[in-house]
């Protein structure tokens, strides 16, 4: 059966006040330690050297910016390769000059949104689901999406002895990372389009959708308690090393093979008070994405070094290489796919229809892109009016 050409990838985390039912609890980010395995979706906040940025006397403009520090949040995860690489290479600090970076690594999107709301971070790299929930829960007052970062890096991998084609999914157990998370709704939407009936809350139905943390999904696969998983990298590639087979790459079900997996957000308060600092961070992001494209092997090694420092273990080449190759780092936030993801969360019954107008402010990003000779990017009608 040929893959669908519609948009299944949807970001609805159930922590939102608009979600019909709460999901599993998330681990709050902390500044001290407890290290996770490198195949986890993220790691806890850490003061590791991977998160440290070197000091600099002045930015590329040679002028002092309006804030002494900027607090930046992200995950120790490959889909957050832009901050991992940019911090390792000093590309953000170069633009920020005397403004010092205070990095914080998070384990889950909801915890990062809480930190943004509390003022513990100013800018963050995050998936579309918590960004949408954070914006809608605050009635549009908490954050803005100010740039893109990554697309791709999500696959359906299965036990080839039990599932040989997409027609073999009935009666099987397929894992996703969390009830209502981006990959969970992507799978629910895909199954619905194929005619399978699944209760979105319990996961019971023609196909059993099993909510399993990415850290434990490989063990669940080895034990036979799941038959496959719709998961982000590097978990998908980890499962392949355990004998799983890639059945579907989520790129196949999106026009042009692109869909948002990581965005850049900022608190509205910080954006209003320190637009020059935000612009510097965006310039660092654009420069980092250009560095990744020009130096893929060095960038991959940088990201792996950062993951090792934060999580205690580097990714093995058999996991790192295919996972990194499947992720595209880009400046465009792919706003059209962002809206489609929200629509599918609503369709799945996990999110009340949100009002997303004003969630984007791409003014500073487009300024930076123009300066570097790159084309501007669009907000799909979801920008600040």
């Amino acid at each position: 059966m040929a893959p669908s050409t519609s948009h299944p990838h949807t970001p609805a985390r159930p922590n939102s006040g608009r979600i019909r039912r709460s999901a599993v609890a998330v681990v709050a980010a902390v500044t001290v330690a407890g290290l996770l395995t490198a195949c986890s979706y993220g790691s806890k906040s850490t003061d590791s050297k991977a998160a440290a940025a070197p000091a600099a006397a002045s930015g590329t403009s040679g002028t002092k910016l309006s804030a002494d520090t900027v607090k930046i949040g992200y995950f120790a995860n490959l889909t957050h390769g832009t901050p991992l690489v940019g911090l390792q290479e000093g590309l953000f600090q170069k633009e920020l000059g005397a403004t010092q970076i205070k990095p914080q690594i998070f384990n889950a999107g909801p915890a990062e949104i809480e930190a943004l709301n509390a003022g513990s971070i100013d800018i963050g790299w995050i998936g579309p689901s918590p960004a949408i929930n954070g914006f809608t829960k605050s009635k549009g007052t908490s954050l803005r999406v100010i740039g893109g970062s990554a697309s791709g890096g999500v696959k359906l991998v299965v036990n080839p002895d039990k599932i040989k084609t997409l027609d073999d999914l009935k009666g099987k157990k397929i894992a996703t990372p969390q009830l209502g998370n981006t990959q969970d709704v992507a799978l629910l939407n895909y199954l619905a389009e194929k005619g399978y009936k699944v209760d979105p809350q319990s996961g019971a139905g023609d196909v059993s959708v099993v909510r399993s943390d990415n850290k434990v999904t490989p063990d669940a696969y080895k034990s036979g308690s799941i038959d496959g998983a719709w998961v982000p990298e590097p978990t998908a590639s980890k499962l392949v090393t355990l004998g799983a087979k890639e059945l579907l790459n989520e790129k196949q079900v999106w026009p042009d093979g692109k869909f948002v997996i990581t965005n850049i957000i900022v608190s509205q308060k910080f954006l209003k008070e320190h637009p020059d600092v935000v612009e510097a961070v965006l310039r660092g992001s654009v420069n980092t994405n250009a560095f990744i494209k020009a130096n893929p092997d060095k960038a991959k090694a940088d990201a792996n070094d950062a993951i090792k420092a934060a999580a205690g273990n580097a990714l093995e080449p058999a996991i790192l290489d295919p996972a990194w190759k499947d992720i595209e780092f880009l400046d465009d936030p792919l706003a059209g796919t962002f809206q489609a993801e929200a629509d599918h969360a609503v369709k799945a019954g996990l999110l009340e229809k949100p009002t997303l107008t004003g969630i984007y402010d791409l003014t500073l990003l487009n300024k930076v892109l123009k300066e570097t000779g790159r084309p501007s990017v669009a907000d799909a009608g979801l920008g600040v009016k």
Side-chain angles (χ1 to χ4, degrees):
M1 179 180 296
S4 166
T5 56
S6 62
H7 306 179
H9 186 80
T10 314
R13 284 193 189 270
N15 70 304
S16 166
R18 295 176 180 253
I19 300 296
R20 299 187 192 277
R21 171 176 155 184
S22 172
V24 296
V26 294
V27 180
V30 293
T31 40
V32 183
L35 298 175
L36 303 177
T37 60
C39 64
S40 66
Y41 187 70
S43 74
K44 295 182 180 179
S45 282
T46 176
D47 295 326
S48 71
K49 63 182 180 181
S58 61
T60 54
S61 66
T63 59
K64 188 178 186 302
L65 301 180
S66 63
D68 292 332
T69 62
V70 58
K71 296 165 286 187
I72 294 177
Y74 57 97
F75 295 177
N77 181 60
L78 290 180
T79 56
H80 290 228
T82 304
L84 295 180
V85 174
L87 290 172
Q88 287 285 105
E89 292 289 336
L91 296 173
F92 288 101
Q93 194 64 67
K94 180 181 179 182
E95 300 301 328
L96 286 161
T99 299
Q100 295 300 299
I101 298 170
K102 289 190 175 181
Q104 192 171 4
I105 300 176
F106 289 87
N107 189 50
E112 186 173 324
I113 292 294
E114 291 171 7
L116 189 84
N117 291 340
S120 299
I121 64 168
D122 306 308
I123 297 173
W125 273 256
I126 201 166
S129 171
I132 287 174
N133 285 329
F135 185 79
T136 56
K137 187 175 181 179
S138 72
K139 301 186 186 304
T141 63
S142 63
L143 62 86
R144 302 276 188 225
V145 176
I146 54 171
S149 182
S151 170
V154 181
K155 299 171 183 174
L156 171 62
V157 293
V158 299
N159 184 331
D161 295 330
K162 297 181 178 179
I163 303 172
K164 298 188 183 301
T165 74
L166 292 166
D167 294 326
D168 299 331
L169 293 175
K170 188 171 183 177
K172 305 301 190 297
K173 297 177 181 178
I174 306 298
T176 65
Q178 184 182 16
L179 170 62
N181 99 307
T182 306
Q183 290 79 45
D184 186 63
V185 182
L187 175 60
L188 290 173
N189 190 71
Y190 184 80
L191 294 175
E193 290 190 342
K194 294 301 176 186
Y196 295 116
K197 304 297 184 183
V198 179
D199 177 72
Q201 295 292 341
S202 68
D206 294 334
V207 179
S208 296
V209 178
V210 180
R211 280 71 186 224
S212 170
D213 190 287
N214 286 330
K215 298 187 300 295
V216 302
T217 295
D219 288 335
Y221 180 81
K222 286 192 290 185
S223 72
S225 60
I226 60 171
D227 303 310
W230 188 300
V231 285
E233 293 289 10
T235 306
S237 290
K238 172 66 174 178
L239 292 172
V240 171
T241 67
L242 299 176
K245 174 185 176 183
E246 179 184 328
L247 191 64
L248 180 71
N249 189 313
E250 191 170 334
K251 293 178 181 179
Q252 296 171 246
V253 296
W254 285 94
D256 303 320
K258 295 180 186 292
F259 60 94
V260 59
I261 190 69
T262 310
N263 276 321
I264 311 171
I265 61 171
V266 64
S267 79
Q268 292 183 20
K269 181 176 184 292
F270 192 83
L271 177 60
K272 181 178 180 180
E273 294 177 353
H274 304 288
D276 57 336
V277 178
V278 176
E279 181 179 333
V281 171
L282 285 171
R283 187 172 287 107
S285 179
V286 169
N287 291 342
T288 298
N289 289 338
F291 176 88
I292 291 171
K293 287 181 173 62
N295 307 275
D297 291 338
K298 180 63 167 65
K300 180 172 64 175
D302 283 343
N304 207 22
D305 287 345
I307 287 173
K308 180 180 180 180
N313 298 289
L315 296 171
E316 300 172 2
I319 299 172
L320 175 65
D321 292 346
W324 186 259
K325 183 179 179 181
D326 197 54
I327 302 167
E328 180 181 3
F329 296 97
L330 73 181
D331 306 310
D332 190 341
L334 303 174
T337 69
F338 189 91
Q339 178 66 69
E341 291 170 350
D343 292 343
H344 288 117
V346 174
K347 181 180 175 182
L350 293 172
L351 179 72
E352 292 182 8
K353 186 171 180 60
T355 299
L356 297 180
T357 302
I359 195 169
Y360 285 100
D361 187 344
L362 303 180
T363 307
L364 293 176
L365 174 62
N366 281 327
K367 177 183 177 183
V368 171
L369 292 174
K370 182 178 180 180
E371 290 172 355
T372 57
R374 295 174 173 85
S376 63
V377 296
D379 60 23
L382 301 177
V384 177
K385 302 299 184 183

